[in-house]
Amino acid sequence: MEVNDKLLNTGILIVATLVVAKLISFLIMPRSKKRVPPAVKAWPVIGGLLRFVKGPMVMLREEYPKLGSVFTLNLFNKKITFLIGPEVSSHFFKASESDLSQQEVYQFNVPTFGPGVVFDVDYTIRQEQFRFFTEALRVNKLKGYVDQMVTEAEDYFSKWGDSGEVDLKYELEHLIILTASRCLLGQEVRNKLFDDVSALFHDLDNGMLPVSVIFPYLPIPAHRRRDRARKKLAGIFANIIASRKSAGKSENDMLQCFIESKYKDGRPTTEAEVTGLLIAALFAGQHTSSITSTWTGAYLLRHKEFLSAVIEEQKQIMQKHGNKVDHDILSEMDTLYRCIKEALRLHPPLIMLLRSSHSDFSVKTRDGKEYDIPKGHIVATSPAFANRLPYIYKDPDTYDPDRFSVGREEDKVAGAFSYISFGGGRHGCLGEPFAYLQIKAIWSHLLRNFELELVSPFPEIDWNAMVVGVKGKVMVHYKRRQLSVN
Ligand code: HEM
């Protein structure tokens, strides 16, 4: 009897040990093995790079149908995990900086923006600096900026003749830098130093190449020119700030907001910080807005039904408000808003957003598959790809601004983060209202004062640019005419 009991106890112990061991191994080992995202097939060592340099969009288009919405690319010693679609990308947008951070992946901006700002400072300071942006872009400030945007558009287009042909892309790029200079950098730059400052910005811009993302300090001529330009800009802004302070002058522009901004501990911003933040603002808004205004124009001129709809809207608004255009009047232009939003859905200029992961997390796909993404991965999502998912947007390659009209609102069907041209969540674009106002101010002026026709073929996408835009010229024939309200 005693022997039997002993045997039974030993048996139970063995079984229990096996069960516990199995449980532990299930909880620890196989789980992380089984649930890692599928990997993109590529040759060892440089295979991942070869796939990536063919263009991230080419890679996404090839892999998404095969691997689904979550997959990993091995790029040298780094693993980049792509999260495509609202179901899996929500952690990307919502996670705290300690879980998913921007600092490492956006480090390459530091030599351009300069020391002491944005990605060169730790998150607590960066958050405060983003608060300065938020304050500088509040509605009461935007109201003043809009008046300047309208004046800039009127002045700019008054230089066009009665009729002629222009490269719309060049024209809008130019107008947007003039407007941004006035609203953001201030009237000293806009009125006296515009040529110098825009040449220096040009050097900064040309100093941000694909190679700069990996080797931002590589001693190449473009980087040397960038560094020289950065120093000269710092000198110019130091003078402007000093003269504003000594004259006790206060202007309505972002420069003034940054001069007056204070950290929580009461410390005012330094001249170097103000310069860095202004450069960051210009970089965030310049190409993105000018590209979007060009695409909006190209689509409106190709799709006469939407062109007629925005013209009709202008007529109605003119009936109500006459020729006046201000912040509140621009805010009434819903049809134009949807036309811009749809151009931006099809062509988000920032095609890839990145984070660095500091803790493991899991995602669940639409079809219920779960994956664990280990810390140490770079995590990526792509507005350019996600904005064309056919289960969110009906006929996703078709330009159809009405998909955002009340009742359809396709962007809301799949929940938050299905429309991600402006990012979203924790790091959503702070300049979105500014960008819309700027583009609306330009297009309402054009629609009211010109008849326009696209005379070159519909433009293609320039995938090679850092901020992905319009390839080649966009030739437009214009004829001056006053929009009649009757
Ligand atoms: C059509 C125009 C624009 C587009 C498409 C755009 C797009 C974006 C996107 C996608 C992000 C998120 C980046 C990420 O999550 O990694 C972002 C962030 C940001 N944008 Fe914009 N942007 C535009 C215009 C502007 C303008 C005009 C400004 C300022 C005047 C601006 C200032 C910012 C800032 C400060 C952030 C960082 C927010 C944060 O990290 O908390 N943007 N933008």
Side-chain angles (χ1 to χ4, degrees):
M1 200 50 189
E2 218 175 274
V3 175
N4 275 354
D5 271 0
K6 260 193 186 162
L7 268 176
L8 188 68
N9 283 345
T10 317
I12 289 173
L13 198 71
I14 290 171
V15 171
T17 312
L18 283 174
V19 168
V20 170
K22 188 81 190 157
L23 210 80
I24 291 173
S25 73
F26 173 77
L27 285 174
I28 308 170
M29 289 288 297
R31 185 165 174 250
S32 57
K33 275 220 175 96
K34 251 197 236 152
R35 304 206 328 176
V36 290
V40 172
K41 282 208 180 74
W43 292 93
V45 192
I46 57 157
L49 182 69
L50 292 179
R51 296 297 307 273
F52 207 69
V53 291
K54 258 172 74 189
M57 292 308 290
V58 177
M59 199 258 311
L60 287 174
R61 272 191 222 114
E62 284 170 2
E63 300 303 330
Y64 180 84
K66 284 191 270 177
L67 303 177
S69 54
V70 183
F71 54 86
T72 303
L73 177 79
N74 292 305
L75 199 63
F76 296 123
N77 60 339
K78 286 278 171 211
K79 288 182 190 304
I80 307 183
T81 293
F82 290 86
L83 303 174
I84 304 294
E87 301 78 12
V88 291
S89 63
S90 86
H91 181 72
F92 181 99
F93 292 111
K94 285 199 275 188
S96 68
E97 184 75 9
S98 55
D99 289 332
L100 284 186
S101 66
Q102 293 183 314
Q103 186 142 16
E104 303 85 342
V105 286
Y106 294 156
Q107 261 302 305
F108 65 90
N109 288 298
V110 170
T112 309
F113 297 173
V117 291
V118 195
F119 302 113
D120 189 47
V121 290
D122 69 33
Y123 188 55
T124 40
I125 305 276
R126 193 169 347 131
Q127 256 180 316
E128 294 215 50
Q129 293 179 345
F130 282 145
R131 172 170 58 79
F132 304 159
F133 273 105
T134 309
E135 279 160 14
L137 293 164
R138 276 198 204 293
V139 173
N140 62 333
K141 300 282 176 196
L142 288 176
K143 287 191 171 179
Y145 302 157
V146 166
D147 298 339
Q148 299 166 0
M149 291 171 184
V150 171
T151 311
E152 285 293 339
E154 282 168 0
D155 286 358
Y156 193 84
F157 294 120
S158 71
K159 293 184 188 104
W160 282 12
D162 282 338
S163 68
E165 235 174 71
V166 287
D167 173 8
L168 190 68
K169 181 171 111 176
Y170 171 84
E171 297 292 314
L172 298 185
E173 245 168 42
H174 209 66
L175 171 54
I176 280 190
I177 182 124
L178 287 165
T179 312
S181 296
R182 181 176 281 246
C183 302
L184 308 180
L185 309 184
Q187 52 104 359
E188 298 88 335
V189 168
R190 174 64 189 87
N191 296 341
K192 292 194 213 113
L193 296 160
F194 181 74
D195 290 340
D196 297 347
V197 169
S198 49
L200 294 171
F201 268 107
H202 194 65
D203 283 349
L204 277 188
D205 212 14
N206 290 342
M208 198 178 277
L209 304 164
V211 68
S212 324
V213 176
I214 305 167
F215 304 112
Y217 299 97
L218 198 70
I220 54 173
H223 287 169
R224 276 197 281 271
R225 276 194 296 275
R226 170 198 70 193
D227 297 342
R228 270 200 301 271
R230 178 72 189 63
K231 277 205 190 101
K232 282 192 188 155
L233 278 171
I236 290 176
F237 281 107
N239 284 339
I240 297 174
I241 295 165
S243 82
R244 275 197 192 184
K245 280 183 180 165
S246 68
K249 260 202 300 189
S250 180
E251 303 282 343
N252 182 22
D253 49 41
M254 194 176 244
L255 167 63
Q256 191 69 40
C257 296
F258 288 159
I259 293 175
E260 289 167 10
S261 295
K262 283 201 168 64
Y263 292 91
K264 272 193 221 132
D265 63 4
R267 177 174 83 74
T269 46
T270 65
E271 284 164 4
E273 286 169 340
V274 171
T275 307
L277 293 173
L278 285 175
I279 293 174
L282 219 69
F283 263 75
Q286 170 61 28
H287 291 308
T288 46
S289 301
S290 79
I291 287 165
T292 307
S293 55
T294 303
W295 281 122
T296 303
Y299 278 106
L300 285 177
L301 300 186
R302 181 157 88 165
H303 295 272
K304 298 289 176 226
E305 69 276 31
F306 297 119
L307 182 64
S308 305
V310 285
I311 290 177
E312 190 48 42
E313 180 180 63
Q314 290 302 316
K315 283 185 185 170
Q316 282 171 12
I317 287 176
M318 287 165 78
Q319 261 164 359
K320 217 165 131 192
H321 301 288
N323 286 335
K324 187 167 179 240
V325 177
D326 63 15
H327 173 275
D328 294 354
I329 294 171
L330 287 179
S331 304
E332 286 180 37
M333 298 178 187
D334 292 333
T335 312
L336 183 55
Y337 167 78
R338 286 196 293 274
C339 291
I340 300 168
K341 181 169 178 175
E342 175 67 341
L344 195 50
R345 178 187 69 84
L346 288 165
H347 303 285
L350 305 181
I351 61 164
M352 197 72 71
L353 310 179
L354 301 170
R355 303 283 185 269
S356 175
S357 142
H358 297 280
S359 58
D360 305 349
F361 65 98
S362 305
V363 292
K364 191 170 184 177
T365 65
R366 269 178 89 215
D367 47 10
K369 283 194 199 111
E370 289 187 52
Y371 294 112
D372 303 316
I373 291 98
K375 71 172 176 189
H377 277 211
I378 290 176
V379 186
T381 194
S382 167
F385 195 83
N387 278 355
R388 293 192 188 218
L389 289 172
Y391 68 87
I392 299 174
Y393 298 106
K394 187 168 166 279
D395 302 326
D397 298 330
T398 305
Y399 181 74
D400 177 14
D402 289 342
R403 65 173 82 247
F404 298 121
S405 56
V406 181
R408 277 183 67 186
E409 292 166 309
E410 287 177 22
D411 57 329
K412 308 249 159 57
V413 174
F417 312 122
S418 48
Y419 181 92
I420 53 170
S421 300
F422 285 106
R426 198 170 283 268
H427 293 290
C429 178
L430 299 173
E432 180 176 343
F434 182 95
Y436 271 114
L437 289 165
Q438 193 173 19
I439 301 168
K440 280 179 173 176
I442 292 172
W443 275 101
S444 66
H445 183 91
L446 283 170
L447 295 166
R448 289 175 184 204
N449 292 286
F450 296 94
E451 243 170 49
L452 300 164
E453 195 191 338
L454 184 65
V455 289
S456 56
F458 191 80
E460 289 177 23
I461 302 171
D462 180 6
W463 290 113
N464 292 328
M466 287 283 284
V467 182
V468 168
V470 180
K471 199 180 201 172
K473 294 184 176 178
V474 182
M475 297 309 295
V476 161
H477 184 267
Y478 67 83
K479 197 166 141 221
R480 203 175 277 279
R481 65 106 179 80
Q482 220 60 111
L483 190 64
S484 109
V485 275
N486 302 312

